[in-house]
Amino acid sequence: MSLTVAVQMDPLDQINVAGDSTFALMLSAQARGHRLFHYGAEDLNWSDGRLWVKAHPVTVQQPTSAGAGDHYRFDAPVSLDLGDTADVVLMRQDPPFDLGYITATHLLERITDKTLVVNEPAQVRNAPEKVFVLDYARFMPPTLITRSTDEARAFLAEHGAIVVKPLHGNGGKAIFKVEEGGLNLSALFEVFNQTWREPHMVQAFLPDVVEGDKRIVLVDGMVAGAINRLPGEGEIRSNLAVGGSAEKTELTPREREICEALGPELKRRGLIFVGIDVIGGEWLTEVNVTSPTGIVAIERFDGTDVAGLIWDAIERRVAER
């Protein structure tokens, strides 16, 4: 089966080829004989029921050396009808999950009767990372969603040290630990409330974070692999994008319970590629559906071809349409 695959993502010259999950998916697709096209979310056009982009046919390869910049080659751009010509759209641009992202999901939703969009755009829109996870609050650490400094201070008094983070943040950005006593909590909330109109996420600080934050990847609802991400020196954040490091890991019984609880719902929603984050082997903190990562590190440690598993799932879904 040869598919026409349109990849909606950030500029290829700006990615970290060594660890980028989208690039790994593109390499895997190309190896299977699928035709690849690259475009950005800002390139979407709609008129008279058609959704189309000016997209570059693209060929990808591992770079010849670090920083060589020869990891992709564009051919002349073409007008690509995403509903009539593309078999698959990979929606893989990085967050923030803002109005631009939401608008892209609305536009792509209009072609899902013809073209498989991964992940399913309406479900991506309805399942932002730190909101969808609230459906599984029984697995979460104590959590508060609020814009109120008074509520945050009461939560701090109840739980001791806390972590404050943007509700729609990504990549470990703007995550702050506030120690017991709440020094600078008011000032932090002033900044958060001036920066973001939505509420913020406040959680009890989990000391186990020093032992790592596990990223577990699920493909069509099934566990495909995991890595443990360790925070860098002087950090509580373990995201690889902010200096964390990865190590090989195994799932705990509690983590398997979490995956078994989430898996059927992820599959039902058409969320084929999902990354969940678990701290201390038991505390679920996020369900990442917009542009999850981690498959390159999993393959490096476990030898599991997660990209191949994702394409197996995609090809099955296309064949069933």
Side-chain angles (χ1 to χ4, degrees):
M1 174 190 301
S2 179
L3 302 175
T4 296
V5 179
V7 186
Q8 178 177 299
M9 65 178 293
D10 299 320
L12 273 167
D13 60 356
Q14 297 178 15
I15 65 172
N16 175 13
V17 177
D20 191 89
S21 291
T22 307
F23 189 72
L25 286 170
M26 294 172 75
L27 286 170
S28 182
Q30 184 175 272
R32 291 172 177 237
H34 302 326
R35 298 174 62 221
L36 296 174
F37 293 82
H38 174 280
Y39 72 94
E42 67 278 4
D43 299 322
L44 290 167
N45 307 282
W46 182 93
S47 180
D48 295 329
R50 293 178 57 247
L51 184 66
W52 79 95
V53 292
K54 281 294 180 78
H56 287 273
V58 61
T59 304
V60 290
Q61 66 174 21
Q62 291 290 357
T64 54
S65 61
D70 58 354
H71 55 285
Y72 73 97
R73 187 187 74 248
F74 281 160
D75 290 332
V78 299
S79 181
L80 182 67
D81 189 311
L82 295 179
D84 289 340
T85 304
D87 299 300
V88 178
V89 173
L90 294 184
M91 188 171 64
R92 291 288 304 173
Q93 77 271 22
D94 285 342
F97 190 73
D98 55 12
L99 282 175
Y101 213 115
I102 291 169
T103 300
T105 68
H106 279 294
L107 292 173
L108 288 169
E109 185 181 1
R110 281 158 169 73
I111 63 166
T112 53
D113 60 330
K114 301 177 180 179
T115 303
L116 180 67
V117 182
V118 180
N119 284 324
E120 207 286 335
Q123 295 301 333
V124 168
R125 186 173 67 246
N126 292 335
E129 273 81 348
K130 297 181 184 68
V131 178
F132 179 37
V133 70
L134 302 179
D135 289 354
Y136 302 92
R138 64 190 184 277
F139 298 120
M140 296 177 67
T143 298
L144 169 70
I145 308 294
T146 190
R147 286 178 62 85
S148 167
T149 306
D150 289 342
E151 295 295 342
R153 194 170 294 283
F155 187 84
L156 175 68
E158 180 180 359
H159 296 289
I162 59 174
V163 171
V164 182
K165 48 190 172 182
L167 195 62
H168 297 299
N170 70 292
K173 301 181 184 72
I175 296 178
F176 292 87
K177 179 185 178 186
V178 179
E179 298 285 357
E180 189 172 358
L183 185 65
N184 286 329
L185 178 63
S186 296
L188 179 61
F189 257 70
E190 287 173 8
V191 172
F192 268 52
N193 285 343
Q194 290 171 6
T195 305
W196 294 286
R197 295 185 63 184
E198 64 270 17
H200 323 299
M201 176 171 273
V202 184
Q203 291 182 316
F205 174 70
L206 302 174
D208 285 344
V209 74
V210 298
E211 302 297 328
D213 176 359
K214 197 170 296 185
R215 164 58 56 90
I216 305 170
V217 169
L218 294 96
V219 175
D220 220 10
M222 302 296 293
V223 174
I227 53 169
N228 193 44
R229 301 176 299 181
L230 297 167
E233 185 177 354
E235 276 282 1
I236 61 167
R237 303 174 298 172
S238 56
N239 307 70
L240 303 185
V242 293
S245 60
E247 65 178 6
K248 184 178 175 64
T249 191
E250 301 289 340
L251 298 192
T252 67
R254 169 76 165 187
E255 288 165 340
R256 293 193 179 278
E257 180 186 359
I258 292 170
C259 292
E260 289 169 2
L262 269 70
E265 181 65 9
L266 299 177
K267 184 179 179 69
R268 185 189 72 78
R269 288 176 176 243
L271 298 171
I272 292 175
F273 178 12
V274 174
I276 70 171
D277 297 336
V278 181
I279 293 176
E282 60 177 322
W283 299 110
L284 176 66
T285 58
E286 292 189 18
V287 180
N288 298 276
V289 304
T290 50
S291 184
T293 61
I295 66 176
V296 175
I298 290 172
E299 181 169 5
R300 183 166 71 248
F301 287 112
D302 290 349
T304 304
D305 180 13
V306 182
L309 295 176
I310 292 169
W311 281 110
D312 287 345
I314 290 172
E315 290 168 3
R316 282 195 304 270
R317 293 222 175 200
V318 170
E320 291 167 358
R321 294 174 71 86

